[in-house]
Amino acid sequence: QYSLRRDKAVRSQAEQAGLEVVTRVGHTLVDPEALLLLSRGAPVTSYDKFRGLLAQELKARPVTTLPPPASLPPPGRTAAPHAIPSLEELGLEPMGDAAVIARGGEGAALRAMEAHLRRRDWIASFEKPKTSPTEMLAGGPFDAGAGRSTTVLSPYLTFGCLS
């Protein structure tokens, strides 16, 4: 897998440069690699099988949680050393509603999908390698009439607005 080879190469180069490399598991309860080892490298194809492997891993290495904070800091700028600066603090002007490039919800998702489904010639000749997923158009990212190379329907599928 490309990402694993890339990470290994980056780790090797960093260590050769004398840098300490710390790897963390993402936003999952357990390391996905641990589940893959439990399944002897075979992909899990059913939810029941996944639940069984997860139960085995949690029994072997229980998840520990931190206690909840006693209080939260006030909203806005805090003294936290890694706080994300505001646009103003970066010397930029706020973008207001113009920064909203995608509207959420089922209605917006259906309108975007219907607009792209009307592009019959585009659908028939679609080739994934020839797309640019970061392309933005003057008419907005969902302006199918503007000739965008992708549909940008993934967020709607991811968040359940389309299924």
Side-chain angles (χ1 to χ4, degrees), residues 101-117:
I101 60 170
R103 298 286 177 197
E106 183 181 12
L110 291 172
R111 285 189 296 279
M113 182 181 67
E114 288 165 358
H116 286 291
L117 289 176

Side-chain angles (χ1 to χ4, degrees), residues 28-157:
T28 58
L29 286 174
V30 299
D31 184 352
E33 292 296 318
L35 297 181
L36 192 58
L37 286 173
L38 284 174
S39 70
R40 297 183 179 90
V44 178
T45 57
S46 76
Y47 189 64
D48 282 341
K49 179 70 174 172
F50 167 77
R51 285 181 43 213
L53 294 172
L54 180 61
Q56 285 179 40
E57 180 63 16
L58 289 174
K59 186 175 182 181
R61 284 176 265 314
V63 173
T64 57
T65 60
L66 298 173
S71 65
L72 296 175
R77 186 90 172 124
T78 67
H82 302 291
I84 298 172
S86 67
L87 289 174
E88 292 88 353
E89 290 168 327
L90 293 173
L92 302 170
E93 292 191 26
M95 295 188 286
D97 284 345
V100 177
I101 60 170
R103 298 286 177 197
E106 183 181 12
L110 291 172
R111 285 189 296 279
M113 182 181 67
E114 288 165 358
H116 286 291
L117 289 176
R118 287 192 291 274
R119 300 171 65 191
R120 292 175 188 252
D121 291 339
W122 177 78
I123 290 171
S125 61
F126 181 82
E127 294 180 63
K128 183 66 176 167
K130 293 184 179 178
T131 64
S132 176
T134 59
E135 166 188 68
M136 293 295 162
L137 302 173
F142 302 103
D143 185 356
R148 182 178 174 83
S149 66
T150 65
T151 64
V152 194
L153 294 175
S154 295
Y156 293 128
L157 292 164

